[in-house]
Amino acid sequence: MFKSKQADSEGYSTFTMLLVPVLFWFASLTKVVSGADWCYQSQVTCNHTCTGPEEWGVVSQYCSGRSQSPVNIVTRRILPDERLTPFHFTGYQEAFHGRLINNGHTVQLDLPSSIRIEGGNLVAPYKAVQLHLHWGKDGGPGSEHSIDGEQFPMEMHIVHIKEEHNNLSQAEKDRTGVAVLGFLFEESKSANKKFDPLINALKNITQPTNRTTLTGVSLEMLIPPQKNMTKYFRYDGSLTTPGCHEATVWSLFENTVPLSRNQLAAFSQLQFSNGKQMVETYRPVQPLNARQVYYSGGHVALVSTVLLIMSLLISSALSLSPSV
Ligand SMILES: *[C@@H]1O[C@H](CO)[C@@H](O)[C@H](O)[C@H]1NC(C)=O
Ligand SMILES: *[C@@H]1O[C@H](CO)[C@@H](O)[C@H](O)[C@H]1NC(C)=O
Ligand SMILES: *[C@@H]1O[C@H](CO)[C@@H](O)[C@H](O)[C@H]1NC(C)=O
Ligand SMILES: *[C@@H]1O[C@H](CO)[C@@H](O)[C@H](O)[C@H]1NC(C)=O
Ligand SMILES: *[C@@H]1O[C@H](CO)[C@@H](O)[C@H](O)[C@H]1NC(C)=O
Ligand SMILES: [Zn+2]
């Protein structure tokens, strides 16, 4: 009797062991097919209505790759690189009008392809496609990249593709097809008036698929002054949303963009498709693995040269001192 019960439970567990993987496989298959149901951690509920960052590998295999973004930048491990010269910006100072859309994951501003970047050791000229942002809750931590473990309240990505490509999906197939300029934000006491056109438009696009046209803005208004854009971090990574293609040359600027607490908090009025506040729209940092982060600031090299000369002078002074 006891024995047969045991056999029953064994039979049951064998059945479960077979069934569970099949169910998971089926679930992953439907996820791949539907494709669009990835979400941020802030949207994940106990009843798993969407696929959070830990499971993005199920949505797209590339999200489990070894060169993913964002990363935490450890400043004592960065390598100064003289080839990381200042960028040459084309059209960044020109006013344009672009579609601003709540796409269910972020707010995105479409950019005219006449906007370009060159230099900065990029392998080719790149043209702008769109910009979007990642933010926290009511001005709390919300950047994707962090520096020495510090997360900033917001991060803006200006997405460019190599000029020869027609669109982002084509550029994603090229290892250096995409160049993203990343800008970290910092809370300031006073409001940054240059952001008002964008922030004022948010109330018109609180729900996914809502769109409006932003007029009279230029990219120059949304980034630090050009003379302050010579210092940036460079590494090879991925897009930070599924499909996570490892096709992005990252340039993350050291100088931050100031916004007041109220301006930062304004982004939290946007909503996800379930009507919940669109907050904490960032992917957690990914392992750096074998990658190196480079730094454009030749100043680091200059400082170490000065230190070397000083230590030589001191040691020669010390070696002279006994004879004095
Ligand atoms: C999931 O759980 C939330 C509460 O955590 C509830 O509001 C929602 O209706 C549930 N959704 C489904 C599909 O069961
Ligand atoms: C992207 O461009 C390629 C090549 O021209 C084209 O085949 C494809 O349909 C385009 N995809 C989208 C989403 O527009
Ligand atoms: C927002 O909507 C209001 C009212 O419909 C409209 O007057 C205004 O122009 C819109 N602003 C933007 C930037 O879309
Ligand atoms: C925003 O989208 C929602 C849902 O699609 C729609 O009901 C609403 O009318 C839209 N609002 C505007 C201002 O377009
Ligand atoms: C430019 O950079 C310097 C040094 O980091 C900083 O003190 C200054 O506030 C920056 N200017 C602006 C307008 O961001
Ligand atoms: Zn992004």
Side-chain angles (χ1 to χ4, degrees):
M1 190 71 172
F2 180 70
K3 200 172 191 315
S4 88
K5 218 176 185 176
Q6 179 133 18
D8 265 4
S9 85
E10 263 171 22
Y12 173 76
S13 57
T14 310
F15 175 71
T16 318
M17 276 163 61
L18 283 172
L19 184 67
V20 167
V22 166
L23 281 178
F24 267 98
W25 169 79
F26 193 74
S28 70
L29 194 69
T30 49
K31 272 172 187 168
V32 169
V33 171
S34 72
D37 70 341
W38 66 269
C39 66
Y40 288 110
Q41 194 58 42
S42 59
Q43 296 170 271
V44 175
T45 55
C46 308
N47 49 18
H48 286 95
T49 45
C50 65
T51 309
E54 305 308 321
E55 296 170 89
W56 284 0
V58 171
V59 179
S60 165
Q61 64 182 104
Y62 301 116
C63 299
S64 316
R66 289 183 56 81
S67 299
Q68 289 289 291
S69 295
V71 296
N72 173 43
I73 292 169
V74 182
T75 53
R76 77 189 144 77
R77 298 218 184 107
I78 59 179
L79 210 60
D81 187 341
E82 288 171 357
R83 292 169 302 174
L84 299 179
T85 52
F87 288 94
H88 184 250
F89 300 98
T90 304
Y92 264 60
Q93 71 293 339
E94 276 156 35
F96 63 90
H97 50 94
R99 185 185 71 155
L100 187 75
I101 181 170
N102 175 340
N103 67 13
H105 302 293
T106 186
V107 52
Q108 177 179 318
L109 176 62
D110 293 342
L111 299 174
S113 59
S114 55
I115 296 178
R116 281 151 204 238
I117 52 169
E118 281 173 89
N121 203 31
L122 295 174
V123 296
Y126 288 70
K127 59 186 176 188
V129 182
Q130 47 104 332
L131 71 78
H132 62 268
L133 299 107
H134 303 268
W135 59 88
K137 185 175 197 297
D138 303 328
S143 69
E144 296 212 295
H145 290 89
S146 55
I147 297 183
D148 293 328
E150 184 190 356
Q151 194 181 13
F152 293 72
M154 190 153 79
E155 182 169 337
M156 179 168 69
H157 292 156
I158 308 183
V159 181
H160 304 74
I161 59 174
K162 221 180 259 177
E163 275 188 339
E164 69 201 62
H165 299 310
N166 288 324
N167 53 44
L168 197 54
S169 43
Q170 198 186 359
E172 280 167 352
K173 299 191 182 98
D174 171 358
R175 276 203 76 85
T176 55
V178 184
V180 180
L181 304 187
F183 298 89
L184 298 166
F185 287 64
E186 229 165 3
E187 187 183 323
S188 57
K189 288 225 160 58
S190 53
N192 179 348
K193 296 275 179 248
K194 291 176 182 169
F195 259 78
D196 280 347
L198 173 61
I199 290 171
N200 290 338
L202 297 179
K203 63 176 182 302
N204 288 21
I205 56 161
T206 54
Q207 287 172 298
T209 74
N210 287 168
R211 59 192 64 197
T212 183
T213 302
L214 206 57
T215 55
V217 285
S218 70
L219 290 184
E220 194 182 56
M221 295 163 69
L222 308 178
I223 62 178
Q226 200 170 326
K227 68 169 166 46
N228 266 9
M229 288 187 36
T230 56
K231 292 185 211 159
Y232 57 92
F233 304 102
R234 163 66 53 79
Y235 77 99
D236 294 327
S238 71
L239 300 177
T240 65
T241 55
C244 308
H245 294 82
E246 294 179 344
T248 300
V249 180
W250 278 94
S251 307
L252 186 73
F253 290 88
E254 191 172 19
N255 272 104
T256 55
V257 180
L259 283 193
S260 70
R261 182 83 182 186
N262 282 343
Q263 289 183 307
L264 291 166
F267 288 84
S268 297
Q269 74 188 283
L270 298 178
Q271 292 167 20
F272 291 127
S273 54
N274 63 358
K276 295 247 161 65
Q277 263 190 303
M278 185 180 277
V279 293
E280 292 168 348
T281 53
Y282 57 86
R283 184 189 198 189
V285 291
Q286 303 296 304
L288 194 58
N289 295 322
R291 290 174 290 173
Q292 173 70 51
V293 177
Y294 299 92
Y295 181 57
S296 67
H299 302 297
V300 171
L302 188 67
V303 167
S304 48
T305 310
V306 170
L307 285 177
L308 180 69
I309 291 168
M310 276 174 65
S311 65
L312 285 175
L313 286 176
I314 289 167
S315 62
S316 61
L318 286 176
S319 66
L320 282 176
S321 56
S323 64
V324 174

